[in-house]
Amino acid sequence: MDLLERVQRRAMKMTRGLEHLSYEDRMRELGLFSLEKTRLQRHLTAAFQYLTGIYKKAGEGLFTRTWSDRTRGNGFKVKEGRFRSDIGKKFFTVRVVRHWNRLPREVVGAHSLEMSMSRLDGTLSNLV
């Protein structure tokens, strides 16, 4: 847990009327995501923008896309690259691919960024 997460947890403890609730329940009551889920939301949003061509030049070659109707969940899968060292595991594409491939079809198949964001919020809020 990083410093910012510890500060957020401490601030949540000072919220009046919610002292009896756990950290996760306080966040849910206030309609907030943890910092980890907020980071994941931003990464998945950026991945959507790369994959749909909003970031054309910057996103060239970031992901290997595969499309199949035979897979469960969403049919729009992306593949991770291969890296020789552990440093590769910290790259944006590697962090995002695992989560992207588990998203429901309605999130990854959205026609606009706004629609994808609202569906992603709903999906992530179920995980809180």
Side-chain angles (χ1 to χ4, degrees):
M1 177 176 4
D2 62 352
L3 176 65
L4 195 54
E5 187 87 29
R6 280 186 272 157
V7 169
Q8 184 178 20
R9 282 182 179 271
R10 183 175 274 176
M12 287 290 117
K13 285 182 182 179
M14 293 189 283
T15 306
R16 294 189 183 267
L18 302 178
E19 298 90 358
H20 63 285
L21 298 175
S22 68
Y23 172 71
E24 289 79 16
D25 291 339
R26 286 182 200 140
M27 297 294 284
R28 190 176 296 116
E29 186 72 27
L30 296 171
L32 301 172
F33 290 143
S34 68
L35 293 175
E36 183 180 342
K37 287 196 180 173
T38 302
R39 258 183 247 118
L40 176 61
Q41 179 187 28
R42 288 182 187 149
H43 290 158
L44 291 172
T45 301
F48 180 84
Q49 292 172 331
Y50 286 126
L51 291 167
T52 56
I54 294 173
Y55 292 150
K56 287 184 183 178
K57 290 188 179 186
E60 288 178 13
L62 274 180
F63 299 100
T64 304
R65 304 177 208 187
T66 59
W67 179 260
S68 172
D69 287 333
R70 296 181 353 179
T71 60
R72 291 185 188 183
N74 78 63
F76 187 38
K77 304 288 186 187
V78 292
K79 289 185 181 179
E80 297 178 11
R82 291 183 175 242
F83 300 99
R84 290 184 181 203
S85 67
D86 289 337
I87 261 184
K89 294 177 183 173
K90 298 189 188 310
F91 286 152
F92 168 75
T93 54
V94 176
R95 288 191 315 259
V96 168
V97 167
R98 189 177 85 243
H99 296 290
W100 179 270
N101 289 337
R102 286 194 264 157
L103 288 174
R105 186 179 298 261
E106 56 269 4
V107 175
V108 299
H111 297 292
S112 69
L113 179 61
E114 292 80 19
M115 193 182 311
S116 176
M117 288 285 295
S118 66
R119 292 175 180 174
L120 180 62
D121 286 347
T123 301
L124 289 177
S125 66
N126 292 334
L127 297 176
V128 173

